Amino acid sequence: MPRLVDVPGYIRFWTASAVSAFGSQVTGLALQILTAVTLSASATQVGLVNAARWAPYLLFGLVAGVLVDRCRRKPMMVAMDLGRAALLGVIPLLYALDRLSIAALCVCVFAFGVLCLFFDAANQSYVPRLLPKELLNAGYARMGQADAVAGSTGPLIAGVLIKFVGAPLAVLVDAVTYLLSGLLLTSVQAHDPVPDRGARRSLGRELREGVAWVYRHRTLSSIALTSHAMLLFNTIVSTVFVVYALRELKIGDFGLGVTYACAGLGAVLGGALSERVSRKLDVGATLIAFRVLAAVGWLPLVLAERGTWALFSVSLAFFLVSLAISIESPVELSYRQSVTPDRLRGRMNATIRSFNWGMVAVGAPVGGLLADQVSYRFALWVGLSGAVIQALVLTVSRTREARAADELEPFAAAQDS
């Protein structure tokens, strides 16, 4: 079997992904503190800012998939990276001019989300052109590990950076990383042909074809629907967590950084284990086992109390959830690419991601409202309970599929029926 390092362009592609992932971790923490502390936002307002980031996936995701399938994917990724770099520079500029408000921040974050939507759809669909099929799981796992390493170090560095220069200026770090990512991607060479214009049909027909592929597929449909639910309820938890940790548990900015660093550590370990797990378990067993772990992993956070063990409890929860997701996600992603023809991959990826991240746009304000109108802990219990239910639904659906086919479809021979 060829090695990833032997694939031309993969190292530069991976490096671009790692650089932007690090910057994103800095901005992720900076925006949370900018919203909750600098702008003194309520839990509902924090939820609205988070929703603005992911709303484009819900609004434009399906159209983005069609457009990505009509274009060369590398030029689109480069353009989106350069656009994101320019857009992030607007936030500290508005702050310096004393014009930064919750509304202005929502607008900037929404526009940033639009660019991320198109980049993500092109990025996931480009990898199968860069790597042979037998290296897809390893390739996605290594990219996941890069994200995880950034997740384990980025928040800590971001915490120090924010302390010395402030949250608005820390956002500039991410702008620079997107610029570097775009420049690196320009040097990656892979088979990226211009799609045949003669094969195009109406936008609506191509959109419906992509949606039908996902939600009528014998196995993709259950995976996609439960992943939507998982993102919805995980978002309720993660949105409430920021305000809950700062105002109720009193773990402070540094505690947030430590928590996110533990999440990154879990993701690093999960990425390292994903390939080994995929060799021993089939797709269905892997998804079920680690979806369940990702759901119950929130329990230490929900049960946390202010005091000595507060930071340990929330850090453990984020470690377990990130570990489980990082083992499961590359397997799921590789499976999706393997059963989908290249001409449909952009639409398939955009369809699933649009509804996945669209659920973030729904879950964020719902979590904020539940926290403000009822209590933080009630909102956390709602998120945990929903996550457990989606894992059980996936278990039942995959068990029925296994009985119908006598065994779950092996990953190595995954083909559409």
Side-chain angles (χ1 to χ4, degrees):
M1 180 183 295
R3 299 180 303 166
L4 286 172
V5 294
D6 297 328
V7 177
Y10 180 76
I11 296 301
R12 289 191 294 275
F13 184 85
W14 179 89
T15 303
S17 177
V19 168
S20 61
F22 173 80
S24 296
Q25 289 295 328
V26 174
T27 293
L29 184 60
L31 286 179
Q32 297 281 11
I33 293 175
L34 181 64
T35 306
V37 179
T38 307
L39 298 179
S40 301
S42 66
T44 301
Q45 289 174 319
V46 171
L48 289 174
V49 173
N50 288 340
R53 165 67 176 86
W54 302 109
Y57 287 81
L58 188 61
L59 297 175
F60 313 124
L62 299 181
V63 174
V66 175
L67 296 179
V68 165
D69 279 339
R70 291 181 172 186
C71 302
R72 293 179 62 219
R73 288 156 190 175
K74 191 181 81 171
M76 179 173 286
M77 290 189 291
V78 173
M80 295 304 104
D81 262 346
L82 298 181
R84 289 188 289 186
L87 187 58
L88 284 179
V90 173
I91 294 176
L93 178 61
L94 288 175
Y95 179 78
L97 296 174
D98 198 26
R99 295 296 181 87
L100 187 64
S101 62
I102 295 295
L105 188 60
C106 284
V107 171
C108 290
V109 170
F110 180 85
F112 178 76
V114 172
L115 299 180
C116 290
L117 163 64
F118 281 91
F119 179 90
D120 291 342
N123 179 274
Q124 287 191 347
S125 304
Y126 185 73
V127 175
R129 293 182 174 179
L130 187 64
L131 296 176
K133 182 177 178 179
E134 61 270 18
L135 288 180
L136 277 179
N137 187 70
Y140 283 122
R142 296 300 170 267
M143 291 171 66
Q145 283 181 297
D147 290 343
V149 171
S152 63
T153 58
L156 293 176
I157 295 175
V160 175
L161 188 63
I162 291 167
K163 181 178 180 180
F164 285 100
V165 304
L169 288 179
V171 175
L172 282 177
V173 174
D174 198 10
V176 174
T177 61
Y178 282 124
L179 177 62
L180 293 175
S181 174
L183 294 176
L184 281 169
L185 287 174
T186 59
S187 66
V188 175
Q189 300 297 325
H191 181 63
D192 188 23
V194 178
D196 181 11
R197 292 178 178 270
R200 290 184 183 178
R201 289 162 291 176
S202 69
L203 181 69
R205 185 173 177 181
E206 290 190 13
L207 188 152
R208 289 192 297 272
E209 185 181 18
V211 173
W213 174 261
V214 173
Y215 297 111
R216 292 180 183 175
H217 193 279
R218 182 167 60 86
T219 53
L220 277 184
S221 58
S222 60
I223 293 173
L225 290 170
T226 53
S227 69
H228 303 337
M230 180 177 69
L231 263 293
L232 171 66
F233 293 108
N234 280 359
T235 299
I236 291 176
V237 175
S238 59
T239 298
V240 175
F241 164 71
V242 176
V243 184
Y244 176 64
L246 292 174
R247 298 178 183 173
E248 293 291 323
L249 299 182
K250 302 292 185 182
I251 66 173
D253 296 348
F254 180 75
L256 278 182
V258 171
T259 301
Y260 290 137
C262 288
L265 181 61
V268 170
L269 182 58
L273 294 175
S274 180
E275 194 174 356
R276 296 182 183 180
V277 171
S278 68
R279 293 197 200 106
K280 297 188 176 186
L281 299 176
D282 61 29
V283 173
T286 302
L287 297 186
I288 289 169
F290 293 99
R291 287 277 188 92
V292 171
L293 178 58
V296 299
W298 287 124
L299 196 57
L301 166 62
V302 177
L303 297 177
E305 299 286 349
R306 184 187 303 182
T308 306
W309 292 96
L311 181 57
F312 173 79
S313 296
V314 298
S315 297
L316 176 62
F318 273 80
F319 174 83
L320 291 174
V321 173
S322 295
L323 173 71
I325 291 175
S326 295
I327 291 175
E328 176 262 348
S329 183
V331 175
E332 176 189 336
L333 192 53
S334 300
Y335 176 79
R336 281 161 39 188
Q337 310 303 327
S338 296
V339 300
T340 304
D342 182 71
R343 69 179 185 85
L344 285 168
R345 281 184 182 135
R347 279 168 282 176
M348 178 275 294
N349 286 316
T351 297
I352 293 178
R353 287 183 68 85
S354 65
F355 284 109
N356 273 353
W357 298 119
M359 291 302 100
V360 177
V362 174
V366 168
L369 286 170
L370 288 175
D372 283 341
Q373 300 301 319
V374 185
S375 71
Y376 294 119
R377 201 174 295 276
F378 176 79
L380 293 173
W381 273 114
V382 169
L384 184 149
S385 301
V388 170
I389 290 171
Q390 69 80 25
L392 295 177
V393 169
L394 179 64
T395 302
V396 172
S397 64
R398 295 294 289 180
T399 300
R400 288 176 177 173
E401 291 163 8
R403 288 174 179 172
D406 292 328
E407 59 180 9
L408 289 174
E409 187 176 23
F411 170 71
Q415 296 292 334
D416 179 52
S417 56

